[in-house]
Amino acid sequence: MRVYLAGVMLSCAMISSSPVHAQATSTPAPVASVLPSAGTALDDPGPLFDDYYIGPYDLLEITVFQVEDLSRTVRVNARGLIGLPLIGQVQAAGLSARVVEEEIARRLTECCLQDPQVTIFIKEFVSQRVTVEGEVTKPGIFPLSGRTSLLQAIALAAGVSEIADINQVSIFRTLADGNKEQLVFDLEAVRSGKVDDPLIQGNDVVVVGSSTTRSMVKSVTGTLRGFIGFGTVR
């Protein structure tokens, strides 16, 4: 029995040390990679680091510099539109604040102002959610209360599990045109600052995969504990 246990313990040590060590020393931490959907070029990573995307029922504070009568707080309606004086309805949902600022400024330039300076502050984030699943402690659907990064989204799920593959964390995203894309990140590289921590967009799905090596080590360790427990009872 002692010989058998020693053999299992030796196998466990070899599995847990060799492959992981080889990966850490032989290859540099990869940058974030993008697996594009149809129509997305490999050299075009898409809106990885754009601002938060506005959604229906979000509350926006719109300021037109030195034109107080045009500055106001408005809520995005169910159709994703906001209504403003002089220019009427403007599409806001599905766009970043920066894009909406540019559109409002463009319309104000066309109708009545010269070089208007428009800024938008999102006061309430109502519509946006992120789903975090896979090898995390508490998978679920979480509301976005503001600009949220990938690391922050995983923190909402209480972190990764002990068998998580942190080198292959995916964000599944539905684009404005209906196409879908998968963005793959090395969480270790993000934590170390080698790769920027990407911003989450509303309705993103974050999936943390499992590590085959870590799963095997956990399985062998559990089996070993079972044998030790059996021997103790005997």
Side-chain angles (χ1 to χ4, degrees):
M1 182 64 176
R2 292 181 179 174
V3 174
Y4 177 78
L5 291 179
V8 174
M9 292 178 68
L10 179 60
S11 298
C12 179
M14 292 176 64
I15 292 171
S16 61
S17 61
S18 300
V20 176
H21 178 73
Q23 184 179 16
T25 57
S26 63
T27 59
V31 298
S33 60
V34 179
L35 302 182
S37 57
T40 303
L42 283 173
D43 58 354
D44 178 13
L48 292 181
F49 309 107
D50 280 357
D51 290 339
Y52 166 88
Y53 277 35
I54 298 168
Y57 309 114
D58 285 350
L59 188 64
L60 311 181
E61 184 177 84
I62 301 174
T63 302
V64 182
F65 182 62
Q66 293 186 338
V67 188
E68 186 174 347
D69 290 343
L70 296 180
S71 301
R72 61 197 55 221
T73 299
V74 296
R75 191 173 296 278
V76 183
N77 67 21
R79 294 182 296 163
L81 302 173
I82 55 175
L84 298 173
L86 301 181
I87 61 175
Q89 291 188 324
V90 178
Q91 178 68 37
L95 303 173
S96 69
R98 177 180 56 81
V99 171
V100 180
E101 288 170 353
E102 292 173 352
E103 176 61 14
I104 293 173
R106 183 187 68 81
R107 294 199 192 182
L108 288 174
T109 300
E110 289 179 349
C111 79
C112 49
L113 296 180
Q114 181 177 359
D115 191 25
Q117 304 298 309
V118 181
T119 57
I120 293 178
F121 172 71
I122 304 175
K123 298 187 68 174
E124 291 181 11
F125 300 82
V126 177
S127 63
Q128 306 298 300
R129 301 288 188 273
V130 60
T131 300
V132 186
E133 61 180 36
E135 293 301 333
V136 290
T137 305
K138 295 180 179 179
I141 301 174
F142 306 93
L144 296 177
S145 57
R147 290 166 60 90
T148 302
S149 69
L150 175 59
L151 288 179
Q152 291 171 328
I154 291 176
L156 292 174
V160 298
S161 73
E162 60 183 350
I163 63 170
D165 183 357
I166 62 173
N167 302 120
Q168 293 288 322
V169 177
S170 297
I171 299 177
F172 294 91
R173 177 170 297 161
T174 301
L175 304 177
D177 59 6
N179 285 327
K180 297 180 183 296
E181 67 178 352
Q182 178 185 4
L183 314 174
V184 182
F185 294 90
D186 181 341
L187 206 61
E188 189 173 9
V190 173
R191 285 171 173 168
S192 67
K194 294 179 181 178
V195 175
D196 289 337
D197 191 5
L199 289 178
I200 294 296
Q201 296 180 13
N203 300 317
D204 278 355
V205 177
V206 177
V207 179
V208 181
S210 60
S211 167
T212 303
T213 301
R214 293 182 181 180
S215 299
M216 189 178 301
V217 170
K218 183 178 180 181
S219 177
V220 173
T221 303
T223 302
L224 180 59
R225 287 174 180 168
F227 278 121
I228 293 175
F230 178 77
T232 302
V233 173
R234 296 282 292 178

